[in-house]
Amino acid sequence: LHAHTQIGYLTQNASSLFTHLLRLRGHGDSANTNALYSEKIVRSRVDSILTRLPPNFDMTIVEDKATELLEDEMLAPFVVVALHECKRMNSLLDEVRRSLNELQRGLNGKLNISARMDELAEAVNLDQVPGTNPLHRASWLHLSWASNKNLAAWVDDLLARVRQPIHSCSS
């Protein structure tokens, strides 16, 4: 293999190896030793993300502000991109909120745990962004940007990305 190809191949294999090791490790929960995740950790992380998750962009307000800015030929392309990104961010926020609320209801016994919810819980437990494992159906990455960050860093990045258009619109 070419040197650069070999580096990519070895990096991907190492990442895969560590992912499998994380899945195989014990969680110390003697009551549920066969579970792929620790319910206590998952509940804590789900609660943390849901409390920090911002509301969606109010597109009527954003579009009203955009209408004024679209008249400026220099700003118009940037405004169009910002509108598109706000709509995409709303879709992502909706999916994150919906899937975490569904998982929370499942963990509380109000819903049956589906395979998708189980995969989401496993990803949250491993501190992975849902969708990192290509075999999982629970995915936020199909609505998101490409990222190799862990879940905690990805959520921080999400919050920063949501705040960024608000600060640029207010100036």
Side-chain angles (χ1 to χ4, degrees):
L1 295 176
H2 186 273
H4 293 298
T5 306
Q6 188 173 11
I7 290 170
Y9 172 77
L10 293 173
T11 302
Q12 183 178 9
N13 279 345
S15 176
S16 176
L17 173 69
F18 287 125
T19 299
H20 290 300
L21 286 173
L22 282 171
R23 291 185 72 204
L24 292 173
R25 73 172 189 209
H27 299 293
D29 186 3
S30 59
N32 200 4
T33 55
N34 293 330
L36 293 175
Y37 55 87
S38 167
E39 194 173 311
K40 188 176 186 181
I41 292 171
V42 172
R43 283 179 188 274
S44 169
R45 288 184 180 161
V46 166
D47 289 342
S48 171
I49 294 170
L50 282 173
T51 57
R52 294 173 49 205
L53 211 57
N56 287 8
F57 290 104
D58 185 346
M59 291 308 293
T60 55
I61 294 172
V62 172
E63 287 171 356
D64 285 345
K65 285 186 179 183
T67 304
E68 300 167 11
L69 297 173
L70 281 171
E71 295 171 6
D72 185 350
E73 288 182 22
M74 297 291 286
L75 292 177
F78 301 108
V79 173
V80 170
V81 170
L83 280 171
H84 178 64
E85 288 302 311
C86 287
K87 288 176 185 174
R88 287 189 62 197
M89 189 61 70
N90 278 350
S91 297
L92 176 60
L93 289 170
D94 284 340
E95 176 58 20
V96 170
R97 192 175 290 109
R98 183 205 62 75
S99 61
L100 290 178
N101 281 326
E102 181 182 65
L103 177 59
Q104 199 172 46
R105 287 193 309 267
L107 292 173
N108 291 334
K110 295 179 181 174
L111 289 175
N112 290 334
I113 300 284
S114 66
R116 185 174 293 203
M117 292 163 63
D118 203 33
E119 292 166 354
L120 176 62
E122 181 184 344
V124 169
N125 183 66
L126 295 175
D127 199 25
Q128 293 178 339
V129 179
T132 303
N133 183 338
L135 301 176
H136 283 182
R137 290 170 292 236
S139 178
W140 298 343
L141 287 180
H142 74 280
L143 295 171
S144 176
W145 55 94
S147 176
N148 289 328
K149 294 181 178 185
N150 65 9
L151 181 60
W154 184 88
V155 169
D156 290 341
D157 192 23
L158 171 71
L159 297 174
R161 286 170 184 255
V162 168
R163 279 191 307 269
Q164 195 265 332
I166 293 170
H167 292 303
S168 59
C169 285
S170 60
S171 7

